Structure formats: C-alpha cells, structure tokens
C-alpha cells in the first residue's frame, strides 16, 4: 500500500507545472519519499521502491541519496530500465551543475568537463538500457544525453527526432 500511495503522489507531483505550484509539488514529493521509506522498511528487497525513491529524490535535488537509491535498486534487480535511465539523467544533471560552477570557455562556447569515469558509467547505463530492450524513446534520449552532456561524438538531434516519433508526448 505504501508503494502505491507513493507512486500516486509522484504522478500527482509531475502534473504540477506552474511556478506557484512548487511548494505543493515539493510537499507531494516528500510525502512520496516518506511512503517509500515505509515500504522499504517493510520489504528491504523491494527494488522498484528504491528506484522510485531515487527518481523522486533526483527531482528534489537530493543527488547523493538519489544515486544511492538507484544503485541499490539496480543491485537488487539489474533489469530495472527506469533506474538506468534515471541514473543517466542524474549524471547529466550533475555535469550541468559542474559546468555552471566551473565553466570552461572554448571559442565562446561553454563546454562541460566530464571525467572519463562518469562518461564510462553513463555509457554503460545507456548500453544496459539498449540490452534490456527498454522503451525505445528512453534509450534514444539517454543516448542523445551521452552526446550532449558527456562529450560522445555524434549529433543528438536525429536520436531526439526518432524518440519524438516513437513517443510524441516525450517531455524530456
């Protein structure tokens, strides 16, 4: 019951779009985390609960906790495609934050400095998504993220265009 309640709260929170709704969105997300804490306490091997809590914590900018939850979810069940996807997005967000704190200018363009370790970890998550046969739109947007945020070679636009063909409601 706690997982269902948390999932419903998370879905509700994702519908908030207006800036004036941020307080209610945050409260809803925190409520979902509390429900997931109870679900995990009752069933510590519940991989989906860790994955969902990791996704919510990423939305709350609790990056360390989010990464720990996503890592734990994948330890428990390495078939959780959403956890790989969320981990790529989390790593991309961290790359953006580093770029904002320590911008590198090259010919007037801000570039993101990413460690080889971070790049390899993100690439491994994208490869896991592909191998799992995850939703194609998520695999494509994650692969585009490798190009944009992690300096992989290639053009992300064809990947994103294809992802939009697969899922025209894509919000990422």
């Amino acid at each position: 019951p706690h997982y269902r309640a948390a999932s419903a709260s998370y879905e509700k929170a994702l519908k908030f779009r207006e800036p004036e709704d941020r307080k209610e969105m945050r409260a809803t997300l925190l409520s979902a985390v509390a429900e997931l804490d109870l679900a995990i306490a009752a069933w510590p091997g519940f991989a989906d609960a860790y994955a969902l809590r990791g996704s919510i914590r990423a939305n709350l900018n609790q990056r360390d906790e989010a990464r720990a939850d996503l890592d734990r979810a994948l330890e428990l069940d390495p078939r959780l495609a959403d956890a790989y996807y969320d981990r790529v997005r989390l790593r991309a967000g961290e790359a953006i934050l580093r770029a904002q704190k320590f911008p590198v200018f090259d010919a007037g363009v801000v570039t993101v400095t990413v460690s080889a370790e971070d790049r390899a970890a993100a690439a491994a998550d994208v490869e896991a998504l592909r191998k799992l046969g995850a939703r194609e739109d998520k695999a494509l947007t994650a692969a585009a993220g490798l190009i944009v945020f992690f300096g992989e070679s290639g053009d992300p636009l064809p990947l994103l265009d294809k992802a939009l063909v697969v899922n025209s409601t894509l919000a990422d």
Side-chain angles (χ1 to χ4, degrees), residues 85 88 125-127 129-130 133-148 155-167 170 172:
Y85 179 73
V88 171
D125 284 348
V126 171
E127 185 58 28
L129 277 169
R130 288 183 181 138
R135 281 186 25 207
E136 187 179 9
D137 58 330
K138 287 195 172 192
L140 289 165
T141 57
L146 284 179
I147 296 167
V148 173
D155 182 359
L157 292 180
L159 296 169
L160 295 172
D161 287 341
K162 187 173 180 183
L164 284 169
V165 168
V166 171
N167 180 358
L170 197 62
D172 290 345

Side-chain angles (χ1 to χ4, degrees), residues 47-100:
D48 288 323
Y50 282 100
L52 182 56
R53 190 172 70 178
S55 179
I56 294 169
R57 284 178 162 171
N59 279 298
L60 289 166
N61 290 320
Q62 298 172 351
R63 290 181 298 282
D64 292 338
E65 296 89 345
R67 184 177 300 231
D69 280 344
L70 294 169
D71 290 348
R72 181 67 179 138
L74 291 167
E75 286 171 16
L76 292 168
D77 185 353
R79 298 166 296 151
L80 289 176
D82 284 346
Y84 286 110
Y85 179 73
D86 287 339
R87 210 162 58 174
V88 171
R89 291 183 63 208
L90 182 63
R91 286 187 170 106
E94 290 169 343
I96 291 168
L97 287 173
R98 277 194 300 278
Q100 290 172 345

Side-chain angles (χ1 to χ4, degrees), residues 6 9-10 26-40 49 52-58 60 62 69:
S9 291
Y10 183 53
R26 182 171 177 74
T28 303
L29 291 172
L30 290 170
S31 172
V33 168
E35 289 288 343
L36 288 165
D37 290 344
L38 294 171
I40 290 168
L52 182 56
R53 190 172 70 178
S55 179
I56 294 169
R57 284 178 162 171
L60 289 166
Q62 298 172 351
D69 280 344

